[in-house]
Amino acid sequence: MPNPPVPPDPTAPVHVIGAGPGGLAVAAALAQRGVRAVVVEKSPDVGASWRGHYEGLRLHTTRRWSALPGLSIPRSAGRWVSRGDFVRYLEQYTRHHRIDLAAGVEVFRVERAEADGGWLLTATGGRRLRASAVVVATGFNHTPRLPDWPGADAFGGELLHARAYREPSPYAGRDVLVVGVGNTGAEIAAELARAGAGQVWLSVRTPPHILRRSTLGWPSQASAILCRRLPVGLVDRAARPLTRLLPDLSAHGLPRPGPGLYSRVLEGAIPVLDRGLVRAVKRRQVLPVAAVESFDGARVLLADGNSVTPDVVIAATGYRRGLEPLVGHLGLLDGDGRPLVHGRETHPSAPGLYFTGYTNPISGGLRELGLDAPRIAGAVVAERRDAAR
């Protein structure tokens, strides 16, 4: 007969891996419930991913629905919070909740500690950190994904991931191909056009749904929150009038997509909230082109047989979660490298191991992180209570 599971050591802290908004929110929620939590962050300070985003970024979610539990974002930040203001808010949040932050410490591997029923974290400097529970919050945008385009190694121009793009002045007068028409690619292309880049092309594999950020003061996020749990077909039909508030760009090479808005969201394609792309395309300051197939010297070959010759290629091609080295050996990831469980739920083979921030909901990632945090903290407390019985 197998031995009963050993309950985790209640004196060991909960370790939260990642000092982004998700990790900080969970740490604050745990502290509020009297549970000691340590946030382990490989970078020197909180919000490393946000610090790395381009300087012109503003949240697409409102200030109200972007705040984490227990502290509002200052009204001085405006309705659409800038990258810099959000980083300052995360710093303030850490101080306000007196979060125990171990900065400059990277966790490489999470393993079950069979001796005490908890978890063992292997970290920099040969550290072996014991934890009663672990919350993995390393972020949705963890590892830049650069496609393996044939011939890219011999490209004579500059090739970079959008993560390395900071602001448009280095590209003044230079021809730029932006690859990818998510929100990041759309905003970078429009910003480059406004700031005096040469020819700006935008490579589009699948046309996106494009929405206004707000209409008559009503934010698109509010509609998304109301619709999130409605049937997919109903939301697709209800969204059609919203998608037609902006002009049809088909004549400019950017047709409206066939599948409904929410159907595309469930496939992983969040709508583009317009911050100047529509105007730039109409004025031919940004030219949509087909998907990139390969490189041939200075030329970039496109799926429709055409080619362009840019000085710079900026790949806004997304990110990988990068969880395989950390927890891949535990059998908790799906084929795309995302956790099989999320939020308050834990996998039957890994009780006490939680994940937050690995979905991309239409209702806003920051809002969902804020909702997840108290649920995860409550689950940790309940697990400790059950183990003590």
Side-chain angles (χ1 to χ4, degrees), residues 150-222:
D153 291 344
F155 177 56
E158 182 181 353
L159 172 61
L160 65 150
H161 190 272
R163 184 60 176 269
Y165 171 86
R166 301 298 296 170
E167 50 92 17
S169 63
Y171 309 98
R174 303 171 73 187
D175 295 342
V176 183
L177 170 65
V178 180
V179 183
V181 70
N183 279 291
T184 297
E187 290 188 11
I188 289 175
E191 183 176 74
L192 287 168
R194 287 194 303 268
Q199 179 61 66
V200 179
W201 295 282
L202 180 60
S203 174
V204 180
R205 183 172 297 278
T206 304
H209 285 279
I210 304 176
L211 300 176
R212 289 180 174 176
R213 191 164 55 175
S214 65
T215 303
L216 300 176
W218 178 263
S220 292
Q221 185 186 10

Side-chain angles (χ1 to χ4, degrees), residues 75-95:
R75 291 179 62 87
S76 60
R79 192 181 200 188
W80 311 105
V81 181
S82 71
R83 179 199 63 86
D85 281 337
F86 190 68
V87 169
R88 285 185 283 275
Y89 167 71
L90 294 179
E91 294 170 343
Q92 181 187 8
Y93 191 87
T94 304
R95 295 190 298 269

Side-chain angles (χ1 to χ4, degrees), residues 41 100 103 105 139 160 173 177 231 233 262 288 315 367 389:
E41 168 58 49
D100 188 352
V105 178
L160 65 150
L177 170 65
Y262 202 23
R367 176 181 180 271
R389 288 176 181 169

